[in-house]
Amino acid sequence: MTNFIRATIIGVFFLSFSVSAMAQEICDNGIDDDGDGLVDCFDPDCSGSGSCTDFFFGNPVLCENDPDAQEFAFDLQWASPNTSVQS
């Protein structure tokens, strides 16, 4: 392999690495722009972005209503004698 081809391959490798390291997430296009595996509002880089203000991930969850929890119980509807059914 000639020195020119070798230098070109090495140059392309380092150029592609530096470009991907400088990529920034665009928070409203549905694409993982910065290559970190997180898309748009799931990416911490978009925290505080205008397009992610109502998004649940990375934001505090504010409950407006208290849950209406009532007591409940289970009723056994069917049972088999011990060791008569394999599960």
Side-chain angles (χ1 to χ4, degrees):
M1 192 182 307
T2 67
N3 286 338
F4 176 74
I5 294 173
R6 186 175 296 133
T8 303
I9 292 172
I10 292 171
V12 168
F13 172 75
F14 283 114
L15 180 63
S16 65
F17 178 74
S18 65
V19 168
S20 67
M22 295 184 328
Q24 292 184 353
E25 185 69 27
I26 300 171
C27 298
D28 60 357
N29 66 353
I31 300 172
D32 178 19
D33 301 298
D34 58 1
D36 64 356
L38 302 169
V39 177
D40 293 348
C41 295
F42 288 102
D43 195 322
D45 296 339
C46 292
S47 179
S49 166
S51 59
C52 297
T53 54
D54 293 335
F55 194 69
F56 67 92
F57 187 77
N59 293 316
V61 177
L62 304 174
C63 294
E64 296 177 8
N65 299 320
D66 290 330
D68 184 21
Q70 299 175 357
E71 246 184 75
F72 66 93
F74 292 102
D75 292 327
L76 182 62
Q77 292 183 357
W78 184 84
S80 67
N82 287 341
T83 68
S84 65
V85 177
Q86 293 185 5
S87 58

